[in-house]
Amino acid sequence: MPGPTAGSPAPGGKARTLAHTYRRFGEVDAAGTSPLYERVAVALSESDAALRAIGTAPARRRHPRVILAALHDLALAGRAPALAAAHAAADADAAARAAIDTLLRMTDSVVATAARRRTRSDETGRCGVLYPAVAEAARRVGADAVGLIDVGCSAGLNLNVDRVGITYSDGTSLGDPSSPVRLSPSIVGDRPVPALAMPDVVARIGVDLDPFDVTDADDARWLRACLWPDQPERIARLDAEMALAATAPPLLLRGDAVEVLPEAIAAVPADALPVVTTTWALSDFPPESRLRYLHRLHEAAVGRALAWVSVEGVGVAPTVPTFGDRRASGHSVIGLTVFHHSTLHAEALGRCWSRGRLLAWLADR
């Protein structure tokens, strides 16, 4: 199917809605963060032909983040050299022209990628929150080894939480000081993060409906494509994280978390503590599925101790206290739920903001 032409009639209502969505993305979401995508998104919003092309994608796959990532993927694959050159030069005007041209020439390819792929945000910045919580879980159970199970793992980068170097703004250091991946979370408040070392990690297991394999060239390219081209620091960090993950690829289990969890937990050696982690994964579950997820964890803990570290929006993780915070308050609650001898103990350890870049540790030792 050829791409839409400039002379074909535009579906007015749909085009106006898309135009508003793309303009708002450029002027609000990308503004001040990505000058390149700010210009590209606004240019797409002003092109009737581009909007018609975007409109041929499935309704839920027309969002700017998806279409821009699909275009970026073509550039990274060498199939859109003009767009790749504009990205490399951080030339916003040239990128806008090349994005429209690529979209109109390669509508089928853009739409196919948008329909097949989900946008990802996989950088391990959240490890600054996970590390102290996992270490605390092991301390409370008295575990000398842990098996990590990341639900909603995407590419499984969180599973390398013990292999990154973390230096908090108060000077506390955790993880591997020689790691090529370095994180610098900021501490909010005057309570330090506990300086507990994580025990040996003897299993790394990812669970996802559509997991990504960092050793697969197409999957790795798509992860890069989901980042914005004029953010070189994020791109360099993701490359370092994927290289680190590739040296010890996790076991990736495809499927619904509620159904796959027993298999994942069984894959952790009997002498290690299974620690299940979720970072903003439960928000994609309907409320009844969140309760089924909790019940499945409780079932799995009948014969062994089990811990769940949750980093979720206020009120999203069942049984985890919320400090009395209101829902949709703009931050997330770091929760620790320990299942032991058929009992459940849930506690809120702290709050975090900006996907783990800011952290307030509030739990008592």
Side-chain angles (χ1 to χ4, degrees), residues 79-358:
R79 299 176 60 192
L83 183 58
H87 284 176
D91 186 332
D93 289 333
R97 294 190 296 270
I100 293 173
D101 177 68
T102 301
L103 177 60
L104 298 185
R105 287 189 302 102
M106 306 180 71
T107 300
D108 284 357
S109 294
V110 174
V111 169
T113 299
R116 181 170 61 93
R117 295 289 202 181
R118 289 186 294 160
T119 52
R120 303 291 180 144
S121 178
D122 282 88
E123 300 126 296
T124 56
R126 58 195 74 183
C127 286
V129 173
L130 288 175
Y131 191 108
V134 173
E136 180 66 14
R139 183 189 71 83
R140 294 190 182 191
V141 177
D144 296 323
V146 298
L148 300 177
I149 302 168
D150 191 31
V151 171
C153 69
S154 186
L157 300 184
N158 288 346
L159 294 166
N160 288 302
V161 57
D162 59 314
R163 304 178 69 209
V164 304
I166 310 166
T167 303
Y168 298 89
S169 59
D170 65 355
T172 302
S173 294
L174 297 174
D176 181 358
S178 65
S179 175
V181 179
R182 307 290 306 171
L183 303 177
S184 303
S186 294
I187 298 296
V188 177
D190 56 6
R191 181 170 295 190
V193 169
L196 287 172
M198 190 181 303
D200 289 342
V201 176
V202 297
R204 304 176 197 272
I205 304 162
V207 176
D208 200 289
L209 288 171
D210 183 23
F212 277 54
D213 180 357
V214 296
T215 66
D216 179 88
D218 289 343
D219 282 358
R221 188 181 67 243
W222 176 251
L223 292 173
R224 294 185 184 96
C226 291
L227 298 184
W228 298 357
D230 54 348
Q231 297 181 331
E233 290 184 1
R234 290 185 67 191
I235 294 169
R237 187 171 67 187
L238 177 63
D239 283 343
E241 291 166 358
M242 290 196 295
L244 181 65
T247 64
L251 170 64
L252 297 176
L253 300 179
R254 184 184 301 270
D256 178 84
V258 175
E259 305 303 324
V260 175
L261 267 174
E263 178 184 354
I265 293 167
V268 176
D271 58 352
L273 172 70
V275 181
V276 181
T277 61
T278 62
T279 51
W280 302 285
L282 288 193
S283 59
D284 292 332
F285 289 30
E288 62 274 14
S289 292
R290 298 173 195 171
L291 293 173
R292 288 177 57 228
Y293 164 85
L294 181 69
H295 181 67
R296 185 55 56 93
L297 288 177
H298 213 161
E299 286 180 333
V302 170
R304 67 192 302 183
L306 175 72
W308 169 33
V309 170
S310 56
V311 185
E312 304 285 351
V314 177
V316 172
T319 77
V320 174
T322 62
F323 300 111
D325 299 339
R326 301 174 65 178
R327 292 178 183 268
S329 57
H331 65 268
S332 298
V333 174
I334 307 161
L336 172 58
T337 304
V338 175
F339 305 83
H340 198 35
H341 299 305
S342 299
T343 63
L344 177 158
H345 176 75
E347 182 180 347
L349 300 178
R351 301 184 180 98
C352 70
W353 297 259
S354 300
R355 297 289 176 175
R357 286 186 284 273
L358 292 90

Side-chain angles (χ1 to χ4, degrees), residues 28-42:
V28 177
D29 295 351
T33 303
S34 172
L36 191 148
Y37 268 5
E38 179 181 2
R39 178 70 187 94
V40 170
V42 170

